[in-house]
Amino acid sequence: MKTRYSAYYALPYLFWIVLFVIAPLGLLLVQSFNNIGGHWTLANYQTYFKSGTYLRMTFNSLWFSFLVTMVTLIIAYPAAYIMTKLKHAQFWLMLIILPTWINLLLKAYAFIGLFAQDGSVNQFLTLIGIGPQQIMFTNVAFMIVAAYIELPFMMMPIFNALRELDPSLINAARDLGANSRQTFMKVIFPYSLSGVRAGVQAVFIPTLSLFMLTRLIGGNRVITLGTAIEEHFLVTQNWGMGSTIGIILIIAMFLTMYLTRERKGRGKQHAK
Amino acid sequence: MKKLIGLIVVVMLTVGGLFAINSWLTQAQHPQTGTKQVTKARTLTIYNWGDYIDPALLKEFTKETGYQVDYETFDSNEAMFTKIKQGGTRYDLAVPSEYMVAKMRRAGMLEPLDKDKLTGLQNYDAHFMDRDFDPQNRYSLPYFWGTLGVVYNDKMVAPGEIKTWNDLFKPAYRQNIMLIDSARDIMGMALASSGHSMNTTDQPTLAAAEGKLATLMPNVKAIVADEIKTYMIQDEAALAVDYSGDAAEMVANNKHLHYVLPTGISNLWLDNLVMPKTVRNKTAAYAFINFMSEPEHAAQNAEYVGYATPNMAAKARLPKATRTNSAWYPKQAALDDLEVYQDLGSAMTQRYNDYFLEFKMTNQ
């Protein structure tokens, strides 16, 4: 009796998912097969795969997302590891989360203030004798801001994974003669991989379609697929092409999820 | 089971609530009942660009005519087009740019203007009337106009250094030019720099223009939208390619900035008052158009907004320094070289955008 009810409990969620997830995705898919005159066509996909511009843009998006993900991972992992050792871990975690409460646009504008020609960073550089540098509208600036914005999303899952690690496992490893490097490589890191995986997904996927930053911080010198989508929906009003790129992004996201999925077999080999 | 029902109720309520809000909004915009009609007859709904009218004028209009003004704003022609086209709105007046007037006219979204109900038509400069986008001004009256030009910072660029579009290609401006993020304007600039029409549809010419534009890339610091104003005001770059309207705002905020209209071909843009088919209160709409055609009101508006007025009688009322400034009010010879954008159709618009996107992807 009880189990039958619990299946019904899923109904509202199902309802919700169909209305607000499946239906919009379906609409996007249908749109992507429409040309500007509203006719059923595959032309959008043909244009996409034939055009060097779109393919290069896709490569750009993937490359920048990869770099941003790597940068956040390199910063977030040690930080999360140290945080788990601290006394007031929750407090530090909150400080990390705090910036996510601020609107993205505001943060971007704050960085404009920092990186501008007479911004704080350049004033500091002048003070120590290096002289003002061009920071705005460079790839580096875009990477810094994107990494800053995505950092909490990388840090949180890693922190949670590390915190759930049973300390007795580490003690056992040390008792059995592993040095600290070995303990980390063989015990701590493999156990925190689930967190890393979640973090990579949470950072890589949204970074693929970051578009506002490419204009505000990158000055459109950094072009990602998001730029093209925005243009197709707002300027050329070619919703079909915009949807096509949207669908390609979604496929890219599924691919990312697939590539970073939990592999069941591997754990067993290690367990030996 | 109770929990389950509760959850379903929550979802249903959310969906139902959204529908209710939607229909309430539609209802509010389409008053059907008699009593509401009476109050609505005293309202004029204007759909205009943000900060594009002196608010004091709206108050004065209400005082003079008794019509309450409901003022809504948009930030792009395309957004306005989509919103009016989708229906559910009751705008009496809107202010599209010239190419959008043509597009709306072709889409049957505009109400013809009854010339007998318009007063003060003689105040308008003939140069801005009877243009290709709306022959004989059947559907529109010009509201403001301007050009596409170059803003320079006199700390980094000497006055007179920029005379033509080609001057922007000088190696001296390496990494020092900002461009407005608009395919039509930047591609148009490249075309104009080689003496081609900004309405070119010829494929090889467009490709050549993109090729030329790519050689400008080393000089380009950024391609940005509205932020261009902030950046220029903060001395971030020496030069910017932008509309005179944006330029007026920049110049007002930084005394080192100046606007020049390069000699040769450039763009003449016009924003125009039109009556969309959604009009409910024609009497009020005509009253407002006539109110804005009056020289003192048009002059007051031009001083507030800072754009150029097509109203000759109003221009005569502006301070001498403004009306003789050839950056804002170019001499007739320069005016004759200006081109109004034609609506090139969606396939061509797409092509311009594809070229522009390709240009953006140019590596330095």
Side-chain angles (χ1 to χ4, degrees):
Chain A
M1 209 53 187
K2 221 177 175 182
T3 47
R4 246 180 63 202
Y5 275 143
S6 59
Y8 287 127
Y9 283 132
L11 252 175
Y13 300 110
L14 201 72
F15 213 57
W16 190 270
I17 285 170
V18 166
L19 268 178
F20 296 108
V21 180
I22 313 256
L25 280 180
L27 284 175
L28 200 67
L29 193 66
V30 169
Q31 264 308 337
S32 76
F33 287 109
N34 275 345
N35 67 8
I36 210 155
H39 298 288
W40 196 252
T41 173
L42 274 171
N44 292 329
Y45 288 92
Q46 280 169 353
T47 323
Y48 182 90
F49 286 108
K50 271 191 197 155
S51 148
T53 319
Y54 285 126
L55 292 180
R56 261 193 307 147
M57 213 183 309
T58 314
F59 176 75
N60 263 357
S61 294
L62 290 170
W63 176 240
F64 272 110
S65 293
F66 173 75
L67 288 179
V68 169
T69 311
M70 280 300 129
V71 170
T72 46
L73 182 61
I74 288 165
I75 300 172
Y77 198 95
Y81 185 70
I82 293 164
M83 255 173 25
T84 54
K85 307 267 178 233
L86 294 176
K87 228 180 184 175
H88 303 289
Q90 288 303 328
F91 170 74
W92 296 111
L93 188 68
M94 203 182 77
L95 283 188
I96 299 283
I97 297 171
L98 212 60
T100 62
W101 296 1
I102 300 165
N103 184 291
L104 180 73
L105 204 59
L106 283 179
K107 286 189 275 193
Y109 273 101
F111 270 105
I112 293 175
L114 286 175
F115 288 165
Q117 207 65 258
D118 55 354
S120 324
V121 174
N122 270 329
Q123 277 170 6
F124 176 73
L125 288 179
T126 315
L127 192 76
I128 59 171
I130 295 176
Q133 301 287 316
Q134 179 61 40
I135 308 171
M136 280 299 288
F137 316 123
T138 59
N139 292 351
V140 176
F142 173 74
M143 296 264 306
I144 292 175
V145 179
Y148 163 80
I149 283 166
E150 301 291 356
L151 196 61
F153 302 106
M154 181 66 91
M155 194 114 72
M156 278 188 302
I158 297 179
F159 174 79
N160 284 333
L162 284 172
R163 205 181 40 177
E164 276 161 22
L165 177 63
D166 191 345
S168 56
L169 283 174
I170 299 169
N171 291 337
R174 297 306 293 267
D175 278 352
L176 293 170
N179 61 26
S180 48
R181 202 177 142 264
Q182 282 169 323
T183 317
F184 180 80
M185 294 307 287
K186 300 268 181 196
V187 179
I188 302 174
F189 189 69
Y191 264 96
S192 62
L193 256 184
S194 65
V196 173
R197 226 174 265 129
V200 167
Q201 286 171 0
V203 172
F204 188 82
I205 293 171
T207 313
L208 266 180
S209 54
L210 266 184
F211 77 93
M212 217 180 40
L213 287 185
T214 57
R215 202 184 72 206
L216 279 174
I217 305 290
N220 268 326
R221 305 308 304 271
V222 179
I223 301 282
T224 61
L225 285 175
T227 318
I229 297 184
E230 187 203 13
E231 205 150 275
H232 280 303
F233 275 93
L234 295 181
V235 185
T236 56
Q237 309 218 301
N238 187 350
W239 290 21
M241 196 66 219
S243 304
T244 303
I245 303 174
I247 292 286
I248 286 177
L249 268 179
I250 290 171
I251 293 172
M253 287 166 194
F254 275 121
L255 267 177
T256 319
M257 299 286 266
Y258 179 76
L259 290 174
T260 54
R261 76 194 185 280
E262 197 118 18
R263 288 179 184 80
K264 285 272 154 56
R266 253 178 45 190
K268 273 182 189 152
Q269 288 168 3
H270 281 288
K272 192 187 159 196
Chain B
M1 199 66 198
K2 261 185 194 161
K3 261 192 205 161
L4 167 66
I5 291 170
L7 282 168
I8 291 182
V9 165
V10 168
V11 174
M12 294 307 270
L13 277 182
T14 317
V15 176
L18 288 172
F19 272 120
I21 291 168
N22 182 36
S23 61
W24 176 76
L25 279 175
T26 323
Q27 193 77 61
Q29 284 162 338
H30 295 278
Q32 309 281 316
T33 48
T35 48
K36 263 189 181 168
Q37 198 72 53
V38 177
T39 53
K40 285 290 174 185
R42 306 304 304 161
T43 313
L44 172 72
T45 315
I46 302 174
Y47 199 29
N48 198 352
W49 300 78
D51 204 23
Y52 210 30
I53 195 164
D54 183 355
L57 281 171
L58 293 178
K59 280 202 195 100
E60 202 184 323
F61 175 73
T62 305
K63 220 169 94 188
E64 216 169 87
T65 61
Y67 293 115
Q68 290 295 324
V69 178
D70 200 349
Y71 189 81
E72 288 185 40
T73 60
F74 57 84
D75 55 14
S76 83
N77 278 302
E78 283 71 22
M80 177 220 48
F81 179 87
T82 313
K83 191 152 180 204
I84 292 183
K85 182 141 202 200
Q86 272 172 351
T89 56
R90 56 175 311 278
Y91 300 121
D92 296 316
L93 288 171
V95 189
S97 303
E98 71 295 320
Y99 72 97
M100 194 46 80
V101 172
K103 192 173 172 186
M104 291 172 86
R105 194 191 60 187
R106 245 174 280 144
M109 286 159 67
L110 298 181
E111 195 75 19
L113 297 177
D114 185 350
K115 291 280 157 53
D116 296 337
K117 290 185 181 151
L118 293 174
T119 57
L121 282 181
Q122 72 285 355
N123 293 336
Y124 288 92
D125 188 337
H127 192 81
F128 305 110
M129 303 290 277
D130 192 19
R131 287 290 189 150
D132 283 344
F133 66 90
D134 184 18
Q136 282 149 19
N137 288 77
R138 275 195 63 202
Y139 299 92
S140 69
L141 270 186
Y143 181 68
F144 276 120
W145 66 278
T147 53
L148 179 74
V150 178
V151 178
Y152 67 89
N153 190 320
D154 64 19
K155 284 197 237 168
M156 297 169 248
V157 175
E161 255 184 64
I162 301 290
K163 288 197 182 72
T164 66
W165 290 119
N166 284 319
D167 291 334
L168 293 175
F169 290 80
K170 283 183 197 160
Y173 304 134
R174 198 179 154 74
Q175 277 279 303
N176 234 341
I177 302 177
M178 290 211 184
L179 302 178
I180 189 81
D181 186 9
S182 153
R184 200 67 202 272
D185 293 309
I186 300 305
M187 282 297 291
M189 176 196 83
L191 287 165
S193 70
S194 309
H196 294 294
S197 159
M198 292 178 122
N199 293 311
T200 298
T201 53
D202 177 50
Q203 184 71 35
T205 317
L206 278 175
E210 198 272 323
K212 181 167 183 186
L213 208 49
T215 64
L216 182 66
M217 206 36 139
N219 283 2
V220 175
K221 185 173 219 175
I223 304 162
V224 281
D226 262 348
E227 315 84 63
I228 199 168
K229 292 184 265 185
T230 325
Y231 288 135
M232 287 306 288
I233 290 165
Q234 290 174 353
D235 294 347
E236 191 70 34
L239 295 153
V241 176
D242 201 354
Y243 321 105
S244 56
D246 281 354
E249 211 178 313
M250 296 181 209
V251 171
N253 284 296
N254 182 341
K255 60 178 174 9
H256 292 290
L257 296 178
H258 309 274
Y259 178 75
V260 277
L261 174 66
T263 51
I265 300 170
S266 183
N267 166 243
L268 167 71
W269 55 262
L270 296 127
D271 287 336
N272 311 274
L273 280 166
V274 298
M275 220 182 268
K277 280 266 193 255
T278 54
V279 60
R280 293 290 147 113
N281 195 343
K282 279 194 183 179
T283 333
Y286 281 113
F288 186 80
I289 297 176
N290 293 334
F291 177 84
M292 291 311 292
S293 295
E294 280 170 38
E296 63 266 40
H297 298 146
Q300 186 183 336
N301 204 22
E303 283 206 63
Y304 175 86
V305 179
Y307 288 23
T309 174
N311 191 315
M312 279 186 303
K315 185 182 155 193
R317 289 169 171 263
L318 292 174
K320 190 155 185 262
T322 313
R323 86 183 117 92
T324 55
N325 186 333
S326 62
W328 313 122
Y329 290 99
K331 305 262 176 321
Q332 192 60 44
L335 266 183
D336 290 338
D337 283 336
L338 299 180
E339 287 180 5
V340 175
Y341 288 143
Q342 290 158 12
D343 178 15
L344 300 176
S346 51
M348 245 323 144
T349 313
Q350 183 76 58
R351 184 148 299 158
Y352 268 76
N353 275 279
D354 288 346
Y355 277 123
F356 188 53
L357 209 57
E358 217 165 285
F359 158 65
K360 281 183 181 173
M361 303 275 300
T362 314
N363 293 318
Q364 293 177 43

